[in-house]
Amino acid sequence: MIIVNRKDKENEREKVVTVALHTLGCKVNACESEKIEASLKEAGFLIVPFSSSADVYIVNTCSVTNIADRKSRQLLHRAKKLNPDALIIAAGCYVNTRGREEVTADPLVDLAFSNEEKTGICAFLKERFSNRLSSEGAADTSLFSLEHTRVFLKVQDGCDMFCSYCVIPYARGRIKSIPEAELIREVTSLASHGYREFILTGIHLSSYGKDLPEGKTDLMTLIRSLSGISGVRRLRLGSLEPGIITEDFARFLSEIPALCPHFHLSLQSGSDSVLKRMNRKYDTKRYAESVKLLRQYFDDPAITTDVIVGFPGESDTEFEETVSFLKRIGFYETHVFQYSRRAGTAADRMPGQLSSGVKAEREKVLLRMTEERRKAYADSRIGKDAEVLFEENNEGYTKEYIRVRCMNPDAVNGSILYGTITGRENNRLMSFEPRQL
Ligand code: SF4
């Protein structure tokens, strides 16, 4: 047995290069951070919590709202306070929207990598710290761990939709889909390492394949291929454009046993005039048809959405239209956002910009509604069968994305159990009784 004393451990730690990484924003950003982290571990860097002292801090930023911009800046500044000698790196959307010069004009930020460049962070750091990196890599070089059961899988980047309020097409560029063969390889590897659920994610998931050679692939083809991979027990879809839900698409999805009946259809507004000003490509009639189709082919699926309140010129009547549309659809969850002006977008130049007071008031109304609906949907499952993928502390998610705790303490994390939802534990947690263990 090798005994390592405390002093040795401290010396050991001094040699390794520590990197702390913080991610803001969307699931695509989270996927990209995971990849950066994996490549850093493989190269021999030690990943440490963002709250500790590190040699390098990377903030994978977001720029979707003014608040996101501010948070990105605050995190970069906090990093410098934690270790004034550290190398501070800003990466991602904030760099794309503000430009490298502006970001690095901040004396506390050393380097900036755009979305296109951030895969190069590891190579850059390897070069920079070559004298301190061991050729054997860090102790923990594994990308995959059996403690993890669910993984976000980035299948595309970019967006061509140009909604009038959104900077993403400028920050992320046009659609770029990851070839199907590459995704099949990635999922096969992840499944063989114990991952069970794959959440297909993209900036505009519904556009998957549109940039690839015609007839080659689309979202349906990709779902079919991935669902056939051994070990893939669940496929969950990220945000979908309502227009993708045709009868053929809904029927196709319902025939894939691994497909989770949880659909996030972006709404943004329940008022047709606001949708038009937002340059969304559907109206409420088309949206309601999509929901009807999903409910026709799935038994009480979980339908979730996003709504923006306080869009320029949103009148009381238009807001009321949104309130009644949300009630009519009966969502499981609604993510509510206050409209945020983004320089360079069409909405920023629109008349009728609303005060923050009005936006906050409208947000409050919708948040109250969504809280009630969320509970009502989860309560409606009490007494019903459920399949649960357990993650940690005997807690896990059903296919509808209801969080449950297993009453039997022997539930195995990483396993899938069948049973019944027996009641409510608290606001966010339901109780679950497995049929057999
Ligand atoms: S669909 Fe609209 S809101 Fe979504 S990323 Fe594209 S432009 Fe932005």
Side-chain angles (χ1 to χ4, degrees), residues 24-280:
L24 290 168
C26 63
K27 300 289 185 258
V28 170
N29 232 20
C31 287
E32 291 166 349
S33 284
E34 273 178 23
K35 291 218 162 131
I36 295 172
E37 190 175 316
S39 59
L40 289 169
K41 279 182 182 176
E42 208 164 50
F45 293 94
L46 181 69
I47 307 295
V48 296
F50 200 82
S51 53
S52 57
S53 179
D55 295 307
V56 182
Y57 291 87
I58 304 168
V59 181
N60 196 4
T61 61
C62 172
S63 190
V64 73
T65 60
N66 286 324
I67 294 171
D69 272 356
R70 200 183 324 136
K71 267 195 196 158
S72 302
R73 279 191 299 271
Q74 283 168 348
L75 278 161
L76 291 160
H77 290 183
R78 192 186 304 161
K80 198 68 177 178
K81 270 194 202 139
L82 284 163
N83 179 8
D85 298 326
L87 186 71
I88 310 294
I89 298 179
C93 287
Y94 179 60
V95 179
N96 286 68
T97 54
R98 296 298 178 124
R100 187 190 319 281
E101 275 93 70
E102 185 182 328
V103 175
T104 50
D106 181 336
L108 302 187
V109 178
D110 298 306
L111 290 158
F113 287 75
S114 68
N115 278 316
E116 298 73 27
E117 296 161 342
K118 65 191 179 189
T119 48
I121 290 178
C122 181
F124 171 83
L125 291 178
K126 265 166 87 174
E127 178 81 28
R128 175 91 174 226
F129 292 97
S130 55
N131 55 336
R132 285 174 61 193
L133 284 176
S134 135
S135 57
E136 289 162 17
D140 176 13
T141 60
S142 74
L143 163 57
F144 314 119
S145 148
L146 275 172
E147 289 149 35
H148 295 117
T149 54
R150 289 192 300 141
V151 64
F152 289 95
L153 182 75
K154 177 182 159 186
V155 305
Q156 70 80 238
D157 203 338
C159 181
D160 293 352
M161 303 300 278
F162 292 96
C163 298
S164 64
Y165 52 85
C166 185
V167 283
I168 299 295
Y170 310 102
R172 291 257 172 194
R174 313 306 290 259
I175 300 167
K176 289 174 284 294
S177 304
I178 297 171
E180 196 180 314
E182 209 176 296
L183 293 168
I184 291 174
R185 267 198 305 278
E186 190 174 351
V187 169
T188 306
S189 169
L190 289 164
S192 74
H193 284 83
Y195 284 86
R196 294 288 163 259
E197 179 175 318
F198 297 82
I199 304 148
L200 272 51
T201 306
I203 294 294
H204 197 253
L205 182 61
S206 306
S207 293
Y208 177 75
K210 285 190 179 153
D211 55 317
L212 296 174
E214 193 149 345
K216 264 238 143 151
T217 190
D218 59 12
L219 192 56
M220 273 209 238
T221 319
L222 178 68
I223 292 169
R224 188 181 292 115
S225 304
L226 299 183
S227 67
I229 295 173
S230 164
V232 173
R233 298 289 300 274
R234 286 182 174 185
L235 285 179
R236 197 180 292 279
L237 302 180
S239 182
L240 293 172
E241 175 81 10
I244 198 174
I245 313 288
T246 58
E247 177 131 24
D248 280 352
F249 190 73
R251 187 188 308 111
F252 160 79
L253 294 180
S254 71
E255 288 164 359
I256 306 272
L259 208 283
C260 292
H262 169 206
F263 302 100
H264 188 87
L265 299 187
S266 304
L267 172 64
Q268 308 306 9
S269 172
S271 158
D272 285 333
S273 41
V274 175
L275 285 175
K276 212 165 191 166
R277 297 206 294 281
M278 286 177 162
N279 195 29
R280 301 291 287 180

